[in-house]
Amino acid sequence: MRAVSGIPLLYLSACTLFLESPSYQSRNKAEQSFFSQDLLTEYEKETLKRMNGAKEDEVKHVNRKRKRAKGPNPLSCKKKKTKTGEEIKKKKKKKVTEPSVS
């Protein structure tokens, strides 16, 4: 039976079905039938030619957005301390300078 191509060999052993690998003749016949087939229709071939021709003519540059550096997480940052009235007055006094005697 191995000489006949395309016929699978099955064996039954202890309620188990075994399928033997295809014979050399079966493999050759399968390869010949595969390569003899025309995988694409004429319409599909023409469409592919048109698509490939359009791709060669058009040169597209893809603009990608850059990822910018982001700020710190506001939940992980300490809040700024508010200044009390006395601290503000002290700073104002320091800013006022006395005229120098020359």
Side-chain angles (χ1 to χ4, degrees):
M1 292 305 288
R2 289 193 60 83
V4 180
S5 63
I7 297 178
L9 292 177
L10 300 173
Y11 295 107
L12 185 64
S13 172
C15 298
T16 308
L17 189 65
F18 291 103
L19 179 65
E20 191 172 304
S21 62
S23 65
Y24 181 73
Q25 289 88 2
S26 295
R27 288 184 199 151
N28 284 342
K29 187 173 183 180
E31 286 179 11
Q32 289 173 357
S33 65
F34 178 74
F35 289 121
S36 66
Q37 292 177 355
D38 194 17
L39 299 177
L40 297 175
T41 63
E42 292 298 323
Y43 176 74
E44 291 172 337
K45 288 179 184 178
E46 291 174 11
T47 307
L48 282 174
K49 286 180 184 176
R50 277 189 267 136
M51 290 174 68
N52 289 337
K55 286 183 182 177
E56 292 172 0
D57 295 340
E58 298 175 9
V59 176
K60 293 184 181 180
H61 295 284
V62 178
N63 293 334
R64 295 184 182 175
K65 290 185 179 180
R66 287 188 173 183
K67 291 186 178 180
R68 304 284 178 172
K70 296 181 181 179
N73 183 359
L75 300 175
S76 66
C77 298
K78 290 185 176 180
K79 293 183 179 180
K80 294 181 180 179
K81 293 182 180 178
T82 57
K83 297 180 180 179
T84 60
E86 295 175 7
E87 292 175 2
I88 295 172
K89 290 179 184 177
K90 289 180 183 178
K91 286 188 177 181
K92 284 184 180 178
K93 288 181 182 178
K94 289 181 182 177
K95 287 183 181 176
V96 176
T97 58
E98 295 179 15
S100 61
V101 180
S102 37

